[in-house]
Amino acid sequence: MSAVDPRAAVEAVFRIESARLVGGLTRTVGDLGLAEELAQDALVDALRQWPVEGTPRNPGAWLMTVAKRKAIDRFRRDRSLAAKYALVGVDVSTLDSDDDSATAVGPMEDDRLRLMFVACHPVLSVQARAALTLRVIGGLTTSEIARAYLQAEPTIAQRIVRAKKTIADAGVKFEVPAGAELAIRLGSVLEVIYVIFNEGYSATAGEDWLRADLCGEAVRLGRLLAALAPGESEAHGLLSLMEIQSSRLAARVGADGEPILLLDQDRRQWDRLLIGRGLAALDRSMALAATPGPYALQAAIAACHARAVRAADTDWEEVARLYGVLAAAMPSPIVELNRAVALSMAYGPAAGLDLVDQLRETRLLDGYHLLHSVRGDLLAKLGRHAEATVEFDLAADLAGNEAERRLSAARAALSRTSAEILDQPP
C-alpha cells in the first residue's frame, strides 16, 4: 500500500475548505483579493507544518486562525507605516483568536453563498466569472484552470487578477442580493456553473472530447449551490441536469478515445446512482416552481433519455414537446436545432430537416459545426448521401475539437461511400 503524499493531502483539505475560508475572510476584511492572499499564505504555512506536526483536529479552523493572524499583522504594519488603519474598517480585536478548535467567525455557509454571488457577478465576462469561480470557490490552482481550458497559465492568472480588480473597482458588495436582483444574479451563478460543466462535457478545443474533471467540479459547485439555496427551483434544475448528463460520461467515449453518440451508447455503463440523484433533484425543482425554468426543462429532457433502457424506448414525442416548451421559455437557435433532432426522431427525418433548413436560412448558426452535422445526418437518413457528404465535410472543417473533427470526417467518408454505391448500376 503506497504512502499518502503529505503535500497532496494538505492540498486536498485546502480545496475542501477554501471556499469557507475565503468567504469568511472576505466578510471580515472586506476585500476578495486580500482574502485570497491571506488564504494562500495560510496554505503555505499548512504545507510547511502539517507534514511534520500532523493535520490539526479542525483543519478549517486552523487555516482561518492562521489567516486571521496574518491579517492582523498586515493591518498593524500598514497602520504603523501609513497611519491608514482606520480606512480598513476592521476591528483587530474581533480577529485575534488563539482557539484552534473554534470554527471560523460568522455563518460560514452564508459566506460561501455570498462568495459565489461575488465571483459570478455580471460585471465580469463569463470567462472571467468561470475562472474566478474555479479559483476562489472550487479551490483549483491557476495551473489547473489553465490546463482544463487549454490556455496559458499567465493568461488565466491575468484574467483572475483583472476580475478581482474589476470587482473591487465596481464596489461589489459581499452579500446575497434580494428581490428582483436575486433572480438576475442567480441566473449569472447558474450560467457560470453550466458553462464550466459544458466545457467539460463537450470540450470546445483540444484532442479530448470531454474533460471529466471539469464536469465533476461543476457538479460539486451545483450541489453546493443547491444546498445553500434550497428554495431556488433552478438551482435544483441545473443540478439535476448535470447529474443526469454526468451519468453518461463513461459511455460517451470508446476504448480508443473516440466519441460515442447518445443513440449508440451502451446504457449499461450509465451511472444509475447519478441518474437517481438527478431525478430526485428534478422532483425538488418541479415542486418549487409553478412553471419550470429552462434548466428544469432541460433536466426533464435528459430524464426522458435516462428512463429509457434502450434508445428505441425513448419517448421522442415527449422530448419534442419539452423542446417546444423550452424554445418558448428560452428562445435560442441551439434549442431549435435540438428540437429539430427530436422532431426527426418522433416524426421522421423530413420533419427535422424542414426546421433545420429554416434555421439555416436565418444564418444565426453560421459557422456552427453541429448545424452541418445534424443536417448531414438527416440527409443521410433520407438517402441524399451526396448532399450529406458535403455537410459532414463542412462540420469537420468547422469543428474546433479534434475528436469531433475526426467523427465528422469519418461520417463524411461513410456517406461518400454510400453515395458511390448508390451511383452504381444495379
Side-chain angles (χ1 to χ4, degrees):
M1 183 175 179
S2 59
V4 177
D5 179 2
R7 182 182 180 88
V10 174
E11 290 175 346
V13 170
F14 183 78
R15 182 166 296 182
I16 293 170
E17 298 292 343
S18 61
R20 293 188 184 92
L21 181 62
V22 175
L25 290 168
T26 302
R27 172 173 47 78
T28 303
V29 303
D31 185 311
L32 173 60
L34 175 57
E36 197 190 6
E37 287 181 26
L38 294 168
Q40 290 298 311
D41 289 345
L43 172 61
V44 171
D45 280 10
L47 288 169
R48 184 173 60 249
Q49 296 181 40
W50 293 5
V52 177
E53 302 174 4
T55 303
R57 184 174 67 258
N58 189 332
W62 189 98
L63 290 165
M64 179 62 81
T65 299
V66 170
K68 289 191 297 185
R69 288 173 179 159
K70 291 182 181 297
I72 292 168
D73 291 343
R74 182 177 298 211
F75 293 147
R76 284 173 174 161
R77 184 170 61 250
D78 290 346
R79 181 174 56 181
S80 63
L81 290 175
K84 297 285 188 178
Y85 178 76
L87 297 178
V88 176
V90 176
D91 181 1
V92 174
S93 65
T94 66
L95 294 176
D96 204 357
S97 171
D98 295 323
D99 184 4
D100 178 55
S101 65
T103 58
V105 177
M108 295 307 296
E109 296 304 309
D110 289 346
D111 284 342
R112 288 196 293 174
L113 186 58
R114 293 186 188 102
L115 184 60
M116 194 173 283
F117 276 98
V118 170
C120 298
H121 197 283
V123 72
L124 303 174
S125 69
V126 173
Q127 295 86 350
R129 282 180 252 162
L132 189 60
T133 298
L134 289 171
R135 183 73 189 88
V136 302
I137 302 172
L140 274 65
T141 65
T142 303
S143 61
E144 287 172 329
I145 300 169
R147 284 198 302 272
Y149 280 95
L150 301 180
Q151 295 186 355
E153 187 172 341
T155 299
I156 295 296
Q158 291 171 9
R159 185 174 295 166
I160 293 171
V161 169
R162 286 196 298 268
K164 293 176 187 174
K165 185 177 186 303
T166 299
I167 285 173
D169 291 345
V172 174
K173 295 181 179 178
F174 186 64
E175 64 182 12
V176 176
E181 180 68 13
L182 174 61
I184 297 171
R185 294 275 296 280
L186 179 64
S188 176
V189 174
L190 294 170
E191 178 188 20
V192 167
I193 294 174
Y194 200 36
V195 162
I196 294 169
F197 182 85
N198 274 337
E199 183 59 30
Y201 195 75
S202 295
T204 56
E207 288 286 338
D208 298 326
W209 195 32
L210 60 85
R211 298 174 195 144
D213 54 343
L214 269 184
C215 289
E217 189 57 40
V219 170
R220 190 175 76 83
L221 291 171
R223 289 172 182 166
L224 174 62
L225 179 60
L228 296 178
E232 298 296 335
S233 171
E234 280 288 79
H236 297 287
L238 175 58
L239 178 58
S240 170
L241 176 58
M242 295 191 298
E243 298 270 22
I244 294 173
Q245 287 185 313
S246 291
S247 73
R248 306 176 197 156
L249 289 178
R252 292 189 78 232
V253 177
D256 57 359
E258 294 303 297
I260 301 176
L261 300 179
L262 176 63
L263 299 185
D264 299 324
Q265 290 171 15
D266 180 356
R267 299 188 176 210
R268 293 171 297 180
Q269 294 186 49
W270 289 5
D271 189 321
R272 307 311 301 183
L273 175 61
L274 288 177
I275 289 174
R277 296 181 69 154
L279 294 177
L282 178 59
D283 288 342
R284 286 192 291 274
S285 176
M286 292 296 189
L288 286 167
T291 302
Y295 290 111
L297 288 169
Q298 291 176 76
I301 292 168
C304 288
H305 296 296
R307 293 187 178 107
V309 177
R310 301 174 304 156
D313 299 331
T314 306
D315 187 349
W316 286 106
E317 291 187 8
E318 175 65 6
V319 172
R321 185 192 72 80
L322 286 168
Y323 268 120
V325 177
L326 179 62
M330 187 182 70
S332 160
I334 302 297
V335 172
E336 287 295 310
L337 183 61
N338 281 279
R339 187 164 75 91
V341 173
L343 288 171
S344 75
M345 298 299 295
Y347 306 110
L353 184 61
D354 181 59
L355 180 53
V356 169
D357 285 342
Q358 292 176 41
L359 280 170
R360 190 171 63 155
E361 289 177 6
T362 68
R363 309 205 63 173
L364 293 173
L365 294 178
D366 278 2
Y368 186 54
H369 68 288
L370 290 182
L371 173 69
H372 300 286
S373 181
V374 168
R375 191 167 191 272
D377 182 63
L378 297 176
L379 288 167
K381 288 178 178 177
L382 290 168
R384 296 160 61 177
H385 296 289
E387 295 172 82
T389 300
V390 173
E391 296 295 334
F392 287 133
D393 280 336
L394 282 170
D397 290 342
L398 292 169
N401 180 275
E402 281 301 308
E404 286 199 317
R405 187 197 63 76
R406 290 193 298 269
L407 176 63
S408 293
R411 298 179 80 186
L414 179 62
S415 191
R416 186 174 289 109
T417 300
S418 298
E420 290 172 355
I421 291 173
L422 289 173
D423 195 41
Q424 299 299 314

